[in-house]
mmCIF file of all heavy atoms in Angstrom:
data_model
loop_
_atom_site.group_PDB
_atom_site.id
_atom_site.type_symbol
_atom_site.label_atom_id
_atom_site.label_comp_id
_atom_site.label_asym_id
_atom_site.label_seq_id
_atom_site.Cartn_x
_atom_site.Cartn_y
_atom_site.Cartn_z
ATOM 1 N N ASP A 1 -14.430 16.251 -5.212
ATOM 2 C CA ASP A 1 -15.705 15.528 -5.208
ATOM 3 C C ASP A 1 -15.505 14.066 -5.611
ATOM 4 O O ASP A 1 -16.104 13.151 -5.024
ATOM 5 C CB ASP A 1 -16.701 16.184 -6.174
ATOM 6 C CG ASP A 1 -17.127 17.566 -5.725
ATOM 7 O OD1 ASP A 1 -17.127 17.819 -4.505
ATOM 8 O OD2 ASP A 1 -17.456 18.400 -6.591
ATOM 9 N N VAL A 2 -14.670 13.854 -6.619
ATOM 10 C CA VAL A 2 -14.428 12.486 -7.100
ATOM 11 C C VAL A 2 -13.767 11.655 -6.012
ATOM 12 O O VAL A 2 -14.160 10.514 -5.742
ATOM 13 C CB VAL A 2 -13.563 12.498 -8.372
ATOM 14 C CG1 VAL A 2 -13.249 11.072 -8.823
ATOM 15 C CG2 VAL A 2 -14.264 13.256 -9.494
ATOM 16 N N TYR A 3 -12.762 12.224 -5.359
ATOM 17 C CA TYR A 3 -12.048 11.474 -4.323
ATOM 18 C C TYR A 3 -12.924 11.231 -3.094
ATOM 19 O O TYR A 3 -12.745 10.229 -2.395
ATOM 20 C CB TYR A 3 -10.766 12.222 -3.927
ATOM 21 C CG TYR A 3 -9.581 11.807 -4.757
ATOM 22 C CD1 TYR A 3 -9.291 12.457 -5.961
ATOM 23 C CD2 TYR A 3 -8.761 10.759 -4.373
ATOM 24 C CE1 TYR A 3 -8.213 12.073 -6.734
ATOM 25 C CE2 TYR A 3 -7.686 10.364 -5.144
ATOM 26 C CZ TYR A 3 -7.406 11.023 -6.322
ATOM 27 O OH TYR A 3 -6.341 10.629 -7.095
ATOM 28 N N ARG A 4 -13.867 12.131 -2.836
ATOM 29 C CA ARG A 4 -14.740 11.953 -1.677
ATOM 30 C C ARG A 4 -15.743 10.828 -1.880
ATOM 31 O O ARG A 4 -16.175 10.196 -0.921
ATOM 32 C CB ARG A 4 -15.505 13.249 -1.374
ATOM 33 C CG ARG A 4 -14.768 14.235 -0.497
ATOM 34 C CD ARG A 4 -15.747 15.197 0.165
ATOM 35 N NE ARG A 4 -16.616 15.851 -0.794
ATOM 36 C CZ ARG A 4 -16.350 17.008 -1.385
ATOM 37 N NH1 ARG A 4 -15.226 17.632 -1.119
ATOM 38 N NH2 ARG A 4 -17.199 17.537 -2.247
ATOM 39 N N THR A 5 -16.147 10.604 -3.103
ATOM 40 C CA THR A 5 -17.270 9.701 -3.352
ATOM 41 C C THR A 5 -16.895 8.415 -4.089
ATOM 42 O O THR A 5 -17.779 7.618 -4.407
ATOM 43 C CB THR A 5 -18.346 10.429 -4.181
ATOM 44 O OG1 THR A 5 -17.772 10.867 -5.425
ATOM 45 C CG2 THR A 5 -18.877 11.637 -3.426
ATOM 46 N N SER A 6 -15.606 8.225 -4.379
ATOM 47 C CA SER A 6 -15.196 7.058 -5.160
ATOM 48 C C SER A 6 -13.971 6.401 -4.544
ATOM 49 O O SER A 6 -13.291 6.991 -3.709
ATOM 50 C CB SER A 6 -14.866 7.471 -6.608
ATOM 51 O OG SER A 6 -15.943 8.153 -7.205
ATOM 52 N N ILE A 7 -13.709 5.188 -4.983
ATOM 53 C CA ILE A 7 -12.474 4.504 -4.614
ATOM 54 C C ILE A 7 -11.444 4.792 -5.702
ATOM 55 O O ILE A 7 -11.598 4.348 -6.841
ATOM 56 C CB ILE A 7 -12.699 2.989 -4.481
ATOM 57 C CG1 ILE A 7 -13.681 2.686 -3.345
ATOM 58 C CG2 ILE A 7 -11.375 2.270 -4.240
ATOM 59 C CD1 ILE A 7 -14.028 1.223 -3.218
ATOM 60 N N ILE A 8 -10.405 5.541 -5.343
ATOM 61 C CA ILE A 8 -9.347 5.882 -6.292
ATOM 62 C C ILE A 8 -8.059 5.256 -5.792
ATOM 63 O O ILE A 8 -7.605 5.546 -4.679
ATOM 64 C CB ILE A 8 -9.163 7.407 -6.427
ATOM 65 C CG1 ILE A 8 -10.492 8.093 -6.743
ATOM 66 C CG2 ILE A 8 -8.111 7.711 -7.490
ATOM 67 C CD1 ILE A 8 -11.083 7.743 -8.080
ATOM 68 N N GLU A 9 -7.469 4.384 -6.597
ATOM 69 C CA GLU A 9 -6.234 3.715 -6.205
ATOM 70 C C GLU A 9 -5.216 3.799 -7.339
ATOM 71 O O GLU A 9 -5.587 3.916 -8.519
ATOM 72 C CB GLU A 9 -6.512 2.253 -5.885
ATOM 73 C CG GLU A 9 -7.396 2.028 -4.674
ATOM 74 C CD GLU A 9 -7.500 0.562 -4.331
ATOM 75 O OE1 GLU A 9 -8.327 -0.130 -4.957
ATOM 76 O OE2 GLU A 9 -6.745 0.109 -3.460
ATOM 77 N N PRO A 10 -3.916 3.725 -7.010
ATOM 78 C CA PRO A 10 -2.887 3.778 -8.059
ATOM 79 C C PRO A 10 -2.845 2.527 -8.917
ATOM 80 O O PRO A 10 -2.259 2.539 -9.998
ATOM 81 C CB PRO A 10 -1.583 3.958 -7.266
ATOM 82 C CG PRO A 10 -1.885 3.448 -5.902
ATOM 83 C CD PRO A 10 -3.330 3.752 -5.658
ATOM 84 N N GLU A 11 -3.452 1.441 -8.450
ATOM 85 C CA GLU A 11 -3.547 0.223 -9.241
ATOM 86 C C GLU A 11 -4.985 -0.284 -9.202
ATOM 87 O O GLU A 11 -5.600 -0.331 -8.140
ATOM 88 C CB GLU A 11 -2.615 -0.866 -8.716
ATOM 89 C CG GLU A 11 -1.142 -0.562 -8.937
ATOM 90 C CD GLU A 11 -0.253 -1.718 -8.512
ATOM 91 O OE1 GLU A 11 -0.758 -2.608 -7.787
ATOM 92 O OE2 GLU A 11 0.914 -1.733 -8.902
ATOM 93 N N VAL A 12 -5.500 -0.640 -10.371
ATOM 94 C CA VAL A 12 -6.853 -1.183 -10.466
ATOM 95 C C VAL A 12 -6.747 -2.597 -11.024
ATOM 96 O O VAL A 12 -6.307 -2.793 -12.157
ATOM 97 C CB VAL A 12 -7.742 -0.311 -11.372
ATOM 98 C CG1 VAL A 12 -9.119 -0.944 -11.546
ATOM 99 C CG2 VAL A 12 -7.867 1.097 -10.799
ATOM 100 N N MET A 13 -7.134 -3.568 -10.220
ATOM 101 C CA MET A 13 -7.053 -4.968 -10.644
ATOM 102 C C MET A 13 -8.419 -5.455 -11.093
ATOM 103 O O MET A 13 -9.417 -5.258 -10.397
ATOM 104 C CB MET A 13 -6.519 -5.844 -9.504
ATOM 105 C CG MET A 13 -6.343 -7.305 -9.903
ATOM 106 S SD MET A 13 -5.577 -8.314 -8.600
ATOM 107 C CE MET A 13 -3.861 -7.822 -8.788
ATOM 108 N N LEU A 14 -8.453 -6.080 -12.266
ATOM 109 C CA LEU A 14 -9.697 -6.584 -12.838
ATOM 110 C C LEU A 14 -9.644 -8.104 -12.939
ATOM 111 O O LEU A 14 -8.614 -8.680 -13.307
ATOM 112 C CB LEU A 14 -9.925 -5.988 -14.231
ATOM 113 C CG LEU A 14 -9.928 -4.466 -14.340
ATOM 114 C CD1 LEU A 14 -10.117 -4.044 -15.796
ATOM 115 C CD2 LEU A 14 -11.011 -3.858 -13.467
ATOM 116 N N ASN A 15 -10.758 -8.728 -12.641
ATOM 117 C CA ASN A 15 -10.912 -10.163 -12.814
ATOM 118 C C ASN A 15 -11.809 -10.381 -14.028
ATOM 119 O O ASN A 15 -13.014 -10.181 -13.977
ATOM 120 C CB ASN A 15 -11.552 -10.774 -11.561
ATOM 121 C CG ASN A 15 -11.648 -12.296 -11.635
ATOM 122 O OD1 ASN A 15 -11.384 -12.904 -12.668
ATOM 123 N ND2 ASN A 15 -12.041 -12.911 -10.528
ATOM 124 N N GLN A 16 -11.186 -10.759 -15.150
ATOM 125 C CA GLN A 16 -11.926 -10.941 -16.390
ATOM 126 C C GLN A 16 -11.780 -12.382 -16.853
ATOM 127 O O GLN A 16 -10.666 -12.833 -17.168
ATOM 128 C CB GLN A 16 -11.394 -9.970 -17.467
ATOM 129 C CG GLN A 16 -11.959 -10.185 -18.854
ATOM 130 C CD GLN A 16 -13.438 -9.829 -18.967
ATOM 131 O OE1 GLN A 16 -14.020 -9.254 -18.050
ATOM 132 N NE2 GLN A 16 -14.053 -10.176 -20.081
ATOM 133 N N ASP A 17 -12.894 -13.097 -16.888
ATOM 134 C CA ASP A 17 -12.903 -14.491 -17.323
ATOM 135 C C ASP A 17 -11.908 -15.333 -16.527
ATOM 136 O O ASP A 17 -11.212 -16.208 -17.081
ATOM 137 C CB ASP A 17 -12.599 -14.586 -18.823
ATOM 138 C CG ASP A 17 -13.671 -13.936 -19.677
ATOM 139 O OD1 ASP A 17 -14.831 -13.898 -19.227
ATOM 140 O OD2 ASP A 17 -13.338 -13.459 -20.775
ATOM 141 N N GLY A 18 -11.825 -15.057 -15.229
ATOM 142 C CA GLY A 18 -10.963 -15.853 -14.364
ATOM 143 C C GLY A 18 -9.499 -15.480 -14.393
ATOM 144 O O GLY A 18 -8.681 -16.071 -13.677
ATOM 145 N N GLN A 19 -9.130 -14.487 -15.223
ATOM 146 C CA GLN A 19 -7.751 -14.023 -15.289
ATOM 147 C C GLN A 19 -7.636 -12.644 -14.637
ATOM 148 O O GLN A 19 -8.599 -11.873 -14.620
ATOM 149 C CB GLN A 19 -7.275 -13.962 -16.741
ATOM 150 C CG GLN A 19 -7.290 -15.299 -17.466
ATOM 151 C CD GLN A 19 -6.371 -16.324 -16.823
ATOM 152 O OE1 GLN A 19 -5.309 -15.990 -16.317
ATOM 153 N NE2 GLN A 19 -6.791 -17.597 -16.840
ATOM 154 N N LEU A 20 -6.447 -12.334 -14.137
ATOM 155 C CA LEU A 20 -6.235 -11.079 -13.420
ATOM 156 C C LEU A 20 -5.395 -10.113 -14.251
ATOM 157 O O LEU A 20 -4.373 -10.504 -14.830
ATOM 158 C CB LEU A 20 -5.534 -11.347 -12.086
ATOM 159 C CG LEU A 20 -6.248 -12.308 -11.128
ATOM 160 C CD1 LEU A 20 -5.476 -12.425 -9.828
ATOM 161 C CD2 LEU A 20 -7.676 -11.846 -10.861
ATOM 162 N N TYR A 21 -5.836 -8.873 -14.302
ATOM 163 C CA TYR A 21 -5.138 -7.817 -15.026
ATOM 164 C C TYR A 21 -5.029 -6.595 -14.113
ATOM 165 O O TYR A 21 -5.999 -6.232 -13.444
ATOM 166 C CB TYR A 21 -5.896 -7.428 -16.303
ATOM 167 C CG TYR A 21 -6.173 -8.592 -17.227
ATOM 168 C CD1 TYR A 21 -7.303 -9.394 -17.052
ATOM 169 C CD2 TYR A 21 -5.311 -8.897 -18.269
ATOM 170 C CE1 TYR A 21 -7.559 -10.469 -17.895
ATOM 171 C CE2 TYR A 21 -5.563 -9.966 -19.128
ATOM 172 C CZ TYR A 21 -6.694 -10.751 -18.935
ATOM 173 O OH TYR A 21 -6.936 -11.805 -19.763
ATOM 174 N N THR A 22 -3.864 -5.942 -14.122
ATOM 175 C CA THR A 22 -3.656 -4.769 -13.278
ATOM 176 C C THR A 22 -3.358 -3.555 -14.135
ATOM 177 O O THR A 22 -2.423 -3.565 -14.951
ATOM 178 C CB THR A 22 -2.492 -4.992 -12.297
ATOM 179 O OG1 THR A 22 -2.795 -6.112 -11.463
ATOM 180 C CG2 THR A 22 -2.290 -3.766 -11.420
ATOM 181 N N LEU A 23 -4.155 -2.504 -13.974
ATOM 182 C CA LEU A 23 -3.937 -1.225 -14.645
ATOM 183 C C LEU A 23 -3.253 -0.290 -13.658
ATOM 184 O O LEU A 23 -3.766 -0.053 -12.554
ATOM 185 C CB LEU A 23 -5.273 -0.636 -15.105
ATOM 186 C CG LEU A 23 -6.009 -1.469 -16.160
ATOM 187 C CD1 LEU A 23 -7.498 -1.194 -16.121
ATOM 188 C CD2 LEU A 23 -5.451 -1.185 -17.541
ATOM 189 N N ALA A 24 -2.096 0.235 -14.040
ATOM 190 C CA ALA A 24 -1.300 1.080 -13.152
ATOM 191 C C ALA A 24 -1.459 2.551 -13.543
ATOM 192 O O ALA A 24 -1.276 2.920 -14.710
ATOM 193 C CB ALA A 24 0.168 0.683 -13.218
ATOM 194 N N LEU A 25 -1.790 3.388 -12.575
ATOM 195 C CA LEU A 25 -1.989 4.823 -12.797
ATOM 196 C C LEU A 25 -0.760 5.595 -12.332
ATOM 197 O O LEU A 25 -0.181 5.309 -11.276
ATOM 198 C CB LEU A 25 -3.219 5.327 -12.049
ATOM 199 C CG LEU A 25 -4.586 5.081 -12.700
ATOM 200 C CD1 LEU A 25 -4.915 3.594 -12.756
ATOM 201 C CD2 LEU A 25 -5.688 5.833 -11.969
ATOM 202 N N THR A 26 -0.365 6.590 -13.118
ATOM 203 C CA THR A 26 0.746 7.460 -12.755
ATOM 204 C C THR A 26 0.245 8.590 -11.857
ATOM 205 O O THR A 26 -0.964 8.735 -11.631
ATOM 206 C CB THR A 26 1.380 8.071 -14.012
ATOM 207 O OG1 THR A 26 0.392 8.923 -14.653
ATOM 208 C CG2 THR A 26 1.817 6.979 -14.994
ATOM 209 N N ASP A 27 1.178 9.410 -11.368
ATOM 210 C CA ASP A 27 0.777 10.581 -10.579
ATOM 211 C C ASP A 27 -0.114 11.502 -11.407
ATOM 212 O O ASP A 27 -1.087 12.068 -10.892
ATOM 213 C CB ASP A 27 2.017 11.349 -10.106
ATOM 214 C CG ASP A 27 2.784 10.599 -9.023
ATOM 215 O OD1 ASP A 27 2.201 9.674 -8.425
ATOM 216 O OD2 ASP A 27 3.958 10.927 -8.790
ATOM 217 N N TYR A 28 0.217 11.645 -12.695
ATOM 218 C CA TYR A 28 -0.623 12.459 -13.588
ATOM 219 C C TYR A 28 -2.028 11.878 -13.673
ATOM 220 O O TYR A 28 -3.025 12.608 -13.589
ATOM 221 C CB TYR A 28 0.009 12.517 -14.979
ATOM 222 C CG TYR A 28 -0.854 13.206 -16.014
ATOM 223 C CD1 TYR A 28 -0.774 14.586 -16.209
ATOM 224 C CD2 TYR A 28 -1.764 12.482 -16.798
ATOM 225 C CE1 TYR A 28 -1.579 15.223 -17.154
ATOM 226 C CE2 TYR A 28 -2.569 13.113 -17.726
ATOM 227 C CZ TYR A 28 -2.466 14.479 -17.903
ATOM 228 O OH TYR A 28 -3.281 15.092 -18.829
ATOM 229 N N ASP A 29 -2.126 10.570 -13.834
ATOM 230 C CA ASP A 29 -3.435 9.917 -13.940
ATOM 231 C C ASP A 29 -4.278 10.157 -12.689
ATOM 232 O O ASP A 29 -5.492 10.377 -12.777
ATOM 233 C CB ASP A 29 -3.269 8.408 -14.148
ATOM 234 C CG ASP A 29 -2.577 8.065 -15.448
ATOM 235 O OD1 ASP A 29 -2.669 8.851 -16.403
ATOM 236 O OD2 ASP A 29 -1.919 6.999 -15.502
ATOM 237 N N LEU A 30 -3.654 10.100 -11.528
ATOM 238 C CA LEU A 30 -4.389 10.242 -10.272
ATOM 239 C C LEU A 30 -4.922 11.654 -10.069
ATOM 240 O O LEU A 30 -5.779 11.879 -9.208
ATOM 241 C CB LEU A 30 -3.496 9.850 -9.097
ATOM 242 C CG LEU A 30 -3.136 8.358 -9.039
ATOM 243 C CD1 LEU A 30 -2.060 8.107 -8.001
ATOM 244 C CD2 LEU A 30 -4.375 7.512 -8.736
ATOM 245 N N LYS A 31 -4.445 12.594 -10.875
ATOM 246 C CA LYS A 31 -4.940 13.973 -10.810
ATOM 247 C C LYS A 31 -5.859 14.317 -11.975
ATOM 248 O O LYS A 31 -6.768 15.145 -11.834
ATOM 249 C CB LYS A 31 -3.765 14.959 -10.807
ATOM 250 C CG LYS A 31 -2.873 14.878 -9.580
ATOM 251 C CD LYS A 31 -1.714 15.845 -9.707
ATOM 252 C CE LYS A 31 -0.771 15.753 -8.508
ATOM 253 N NZ LYS A 31 0.411 16.637 -8.671
ATOM 254 N N HIS A 32 -5.618 13.692 -13.138
ATOM 255 C CA HIS A 32 -6.308 14.156 -14.345
ATOM 256 C C HIS A 32 -7.066 13.083 -15.126
ATOM 257 O O HIS A 32 -7.869 13.421 -15.991
ATOM 258 C CB HIS A 32 -5.304 14.832 -15.282
ATOM 259 C CG HIS A 32 -4.633 16.025 -14.691
ATOM 260 N ND1 HIS A 32 -5.320 17.167 -14.346
ATOM 261 C CD2 HIS A 32 -3.334 16.255 -14.361
ATOM 262 C CE1 HIS A 32 -4.480 18.054 -13.847
ATOM 263 N NE2 HIS A 32 -3.277 17.527 -13.838
ATOM 264 N N ARG A 33 -6.829 11.809 -14.870
ATOM 265 C CA ARG A 33 -7.555 10.737 -15.576
ATOM 266 C C ARG A 33 -7.671 9.522 -14.661
ATOM 267 O O ARG A 33 -7.095 8.468 -14.897
ATOM 268 C CB ARG A 33 -6.914 10.397 -16.933
ATOM 269 C CG ARG A 33 -5.463 10.020 -16.871
ATOM 270 C CD ARG A 33 -4.790 10.067 -18.236
ATOM 271 N NE ARG A 33 -5.221 9.071 -19.172
ATOM 272 C CZ ARG A 33 -4.659 7.873 -19.313
ATOM 273 N NH1 ARG A 33 -3.663 7.500 -18.545
ATOM 274 N NH2 ARG A 33 -5.095 7.044 -20.244
ATOM 275 N N MET A 34 -8.471 9.691 -13.624
ATOM 276 C CA MET A 34 -8.655 8.620 -12.649
ATOM 277 C C MET A 34 -9.433 7.465 -13.258
ATOM 278 O O MET A 34 -10.135 7.634 -14.253
ATOM 279 C CB MET A 34 -9.404 9.141 -11.418
ATOM 280 C CG MET A 34 -8.582 10.087 -10.556
ATOM 281 S SD MET A 34 -8.604 11.736 -11.211
ATOM 282 C CE MET A 34 -10.262 12.223 -10.852
ATOM 283 N N LEU A 35 -9.307 6.329 -12.623
ATOM 284 C CA LEU A 35 -10.010 5.127 -13.066
ATOM 285 C C LEU A 35 -10.767 4.556 -11.868
ATOM 286 O O LEU A 35 -10.177 4.312 -10.817
ATOM 287 C CB LEU A 35 -9.021 4.106 -13.613
ATOM 288 C CG LEU A 35 -9.601 2.938 -14.408
ATOM 289 C CD1 LEU A 35 -10.291 3.442 -15.673
ATOM 290 C CD2 LEU A 35 -8.501 1.939 -14.774
ATOM 291 N N VAL A 36 -12.069 4.375 -12.035
ATOM 292 C CA VAL A 36 -12.923 3.886 -10.955
ATOM 293 C C VAL A 36 -13.569 2.579 -11.406
ATOM 294 O O VAL A 36 -14.169 2.508 -12.484
ATOM 295 C CB VAL A 36 -14.013 4.915 -10.591
ATOM 296 C CG1 VAL A 36 -14.861 4.404 -9.424
ATOM 297 C CG2 VAL A 36 -13.380 6.267 -10.228
ATOM 298 N N LYS A 37 -13.458 1.551 -10.567
ATOM 299 C CA LYS A 37 -13.952 0.215 -10.921
ATOM 300 C C LYS A 37 -15.344 -0.023 -10.348
ATOM 301 O O LYS A 37 -15.605 0.216 -9.174
ATOM 302 C CB LYS A 37 -12.987 -0.854 -10.403
ATOM 303 C CG LYS A 37 -13.430 -2.284 -10.720
ATOM 304 C CD LYS A 37 -12.351 -3.296 -10.379
ATOM 305 C CE LYS A 37 -12.136 -3.423 -8.889
ATOM 306 N NZ LYS A 37 -11.280 -4.586 -8.543
ATOM 307 N N PHE A 38 -16.223 -0.504 -11.226
ATOM 308 C CA PHE A 38 -17.558 -0.959 -10.834
ATOM 309 C C PHE A 38 -17.706 -2.419 -11.263
ATOM 310 O O PHE A 38 -16.838 -2.967 -11.942
ATOM 311 C CB PHE A 38 -18.643 -0.108 -11.519
ATOM 312 C CG PHE A 38 -18.599 1.342 -11.177
ATOM 313 C CD1 PHE A 38 -17.882 2.235 -11.970
ATOM 314 C CD2 PHE A 38 -19.258 1.839 -10.071
ATOM 315 C CE1 PHE A 38 -17.829 3.584 -11.658
ATOM 316 C CE2 PHE A 38 -19.220 3.186 -9.743
ATOM 317 C CZ PHE A 38 -18.500 4.061 -10.543
ATOM 318 N N ASP A 39 -18.800 -3.028 -10.898
ATOM 319 C CA ASP A 39 -19.076 -4.372 -11.392
ATOM 320 C C ASP A 39 -19.193 -4.342 -12.915
ATOM 321 O O ASP A 39 -20.034 -3.625 -13.464
ATOM 322 C CB ASP A 39 -20.384 -4.909 -10.789
ATOM 323 C CG ASP A 39 -20.269 -5.227 -9.315
ATOM 324 O OD1 ASP A 39 -19.165 -5.586 -8.874
ATOM 325 O OD2 ASP A 39 -21.283 -5.097 -8.600
ATOM 326 N N ASP A 40 -18.350 -5.068 -13.603
ATOM 327 C CA ASP A 40 -18.392 -5.259 -15.071
ATOM 328 C C ASP A 40 -17.902 -4.076 -15.889
ATOM 329 O O ASP A 40 -17.640 -4.229 -17.087
ATOM 330 C CB ASP A 40 -19.806 -5.627 -15.553
ATOM 331 C CG ASP A 40 -20.322 -6.889 -14.896
ATOM 332 O OD1 ASP A 40 -19.503 -7.797 -14.653
ATOM 333 O OD2 ASP A 40 -21.532 -6.952 -14.611
ATOM 334 N N ILE A 41 -17.815 -2.874 -15.322
ATOM 335 C CA ILE A 41 -17.382 -1.700 -16.091
ATOM 336 C C ILE A 41 -16.397 -0.880 -15.266
ATOM 337 O O ILE A 41 -16.291 -1.036 -14.047
ATOM 338 C CB ILE A 41 -18.568 -0.794 -16.501
ATOM 339 C CG1 ILE A 41 -19.247 -0.197 -15.261
ATOM 340 C CG2 ILE A 41 -19.559 -1.547 -17.376
ATOM 341 C CD1 ILE A 41 -20.279 0.879 -15.596
#
């Protein structure tokens, strides 16, 4: 259900105060602790 309705990627890049940060997910993360990016959160 999560994969059908969300954008799940192995890397999540955030633009915070004009700087770029990349959060990298492992294979374990992609199965058990996914990260989904929205505006501001």
Side-chain angles (χ1 to χ4, degrees):
D1 293 331
V2 177
Y3 270 89
R4 274 201 307 269
T5 59
S6 305
I7 297 176
I8 307 294
E9 294 186 277
E11 291 185 345
V12 176
M13 183 175 282
L14 304 178
N15 184 352
Q16 172 69 9
D17 295 332
Q19 299 298 325
L20 302 183
Y21 305 86
T22 300
L23 296 155
L25 279 66
T26 64
D27 289 343
Y28 174 89
D29 296 333
L30 292 170
K31 295 177 182 176
H32 299 296
R33 56 196 292 269
M34 289 82 71
L35 194 63
V36 182
K37 180 171 69 169
F38 299 93
D39 289 330
D40 302 325
I41 64 171

